[in-house]
Amino acid sequence: MDHSHHMGMNHTNHSSTTPPSHHHPTSASHSHGGGDGDMMMMPMTFYFGFKNVELLFSGLVINTAGEMAGAFVAVFLLAMFYEGLKIARESLLRKSQVSIRYNSMPVPGPNGTILMETHKTVGQQMLSFPHLLQTVLHVIQVVISYFLMLIFMTYNGYLCIAVAAGAGTGYFLFSWKKAVVVDITEHCH
């Protein structure tokens, strides 16, 4: 029994190579694409396909398996770069820190003794080249993170895997260099 006439909905069968489209007869405001009559509907469920996949920009549309493979590699590398950029910013921040100050404070020790704990406080000057570089790198990092989020929101399984695999690989390759903060305390009796 066909119930497609109910509520004015048009149900179509989707192949595995095209993104699912959702037909909403009451509103065309959710469509993507130019004003040339082509209406690409944004899929709202995960799918694996490579036909008519828009990638960030309206002119960047994937239509072949080769284009999807190229996009997969590019997105994978972008996600790796994002993870590397986060670690590089931390490293640059450590190298550019100035205004080192040591603070000692008494803390109770074993058997009623008093120990001195030393904390190192570092800072950075606002009007300096290292801070300007950090600011520019931060903007680049934010833009890349939004690009990766928008790529994931295409719901294309291949591109989602590329984002996740690139981020995981980048973390694996770069995070082992990440500095571990170790609190060095001096014990004076």
Side-chain angles (χ1 to χ4, degrees):
M1 180 186 293
D2 182 21
H3 296 286
S4 64
H5 63 281
H6 291 285
M7 304 288 277
M9 298 299 287
N10 181 13
H11 299 283
T12 58
N13 189 7
H14 305 293
S15 71
S16 65
T17 59
T18 59
S21 63
H22 303 283
H23 179 69
H24 299 282
T26 58
S27 172
S29 64
H30 297 292
S31 65
H32 296 275
D36 59 350
D38 277 341
M39 289 180 38
M40 289 182 66
M41 303 304 282
M42 183 176 168
M44 298 305 287
T45 56
F46 288 100
Y47 69 97
F48 285 89
F50 53 84
K51 298 279 187 195
N52 297 321
V53 179
E54 275 188 311
L55 186 61
L56 296 177
F57 304 100
S58 62
L60 190 55
V61 180
I62 299 167
N63 283 310
T64 67
E67 290 173 349
M68 180 56 78
F72 184 95
V73 170
V75 169
F76 180 89
L77 292 174
L78 184 65
M80 272 184 55
F81 176 73
Y82 174 74
E83 291 297 324
L85 180 60
K86 289 192 309 186
I87 301 302
R89 283 191 57 222
E90 286 182 20
S91 176
L92 285 173
L93 184 62
R94 279 191 315 277
K95 290 178 182 176
S96 66
Q97 291 172 336
V98 295
S99 306
I100 298 173
R101 194 176 67 218
Y102 294 94
N103 298 325
S104 295
M105 56 188 287
V107 293
N111 301 327
T113 60
I114 301 294
L115 304 175
M116 294 303 287
E117 190 173 87
T118 303
H119 296 275
K120 179 179 173 184
T121 305
V122 294
Q124 195 173 22
Q125 295 176 344
M126 186 170 79
L127 298 176
S128 65
F129 178 75
H131 184 64
L132 177 64
L133 179 61
Q134 281 288 341
T135 303
V136 170
L137 291 176
H138 175 74
V139 170
I140 292 169
Q141 181 179 338
V142 167
V143 169
I144 291 173
S145 70
Y146 279 118
F147 278 177
L148 292 172
M149 178 197 66
L150 290 172
I151 290 168
F152 207 92
M153 287 178 61
T154 65
Y155 290 98
N156 183 283
Y158 299 121
L159 297 178
C160 291
I161 290 170
V163 170
T169 303
Y171 184 84
F172 178 77
L173 292 176
F174 302 118
S175 71
W176 67 272
K177 292 182 178 183
K178 191 174 184 177
V180 177
V181 176
V182 178
D183 187 16
I184 300 173
T185 58
E186 292 180 9
H187 301 287
C188 301
H189 301 284

